[in-house]
Amino acid sequence: MLDPRLLRTFVAIADAASFTIAADRLNSTQSTVSQHLGRLEAAVGQSLIDRSARPISPTPSGERLLGGVDKLVDARFGD
């Protein structure tokens, strides 16, 4: 099972298209956000964010994971 904190960080990064903005929204530091994403990417064995794009954006693997997270949240909390 994936750590919910890491998933929350990933969703924040994808939504904000910025590590800095995601860190602000999570009341965290950019370093912590980067570490969380690195841990999540290591856990799934895939790059999830295209860091070369400006603004940053999810990779195809990241898009698939976002879809799965959305389904999980909908199933858990309703829509």
Side-chain angles (χ1 to χ4, degrees):
M1 177 166 222
L2 297 173
D3 184 334
R5 292 174 303 153
L6 304 182
L7 291 171
R8 186 174 340 145
T9 299
F10 168 62
V11 170
I13 294 167
D15 286 347
S18 164
F19 284 84
T20 303
I21 294 169
D24 287 343
R25 290 180 181 172
L26 295 168
N27 296 315
S28 188
T29 64
Q30 184 175 346
S31 175
T32 299
V33 166
S34 294
Q35 290 173 6
H36 281 189
L37 180 62
R39 288 175 46 205
L40 182 60
E41 288 177 327
V44 300
Q46 298 282 326
S47 176
L48 300 172
I49 295 289
D50 181 357
R51 293 161 179 83
S52 66
R54 291 293 178 255
I56 61 173
S57 61
T59 63
S61 295
E63 289 287 354
R64 285 191 297 278
L65 181 58
L66 281 172
V69 169
D70 287 342
K71 288 179 186 175
L72 177 66
V73 169
D74 287 346
R76 168 90 180 176
F77 301 107
D79 203 89

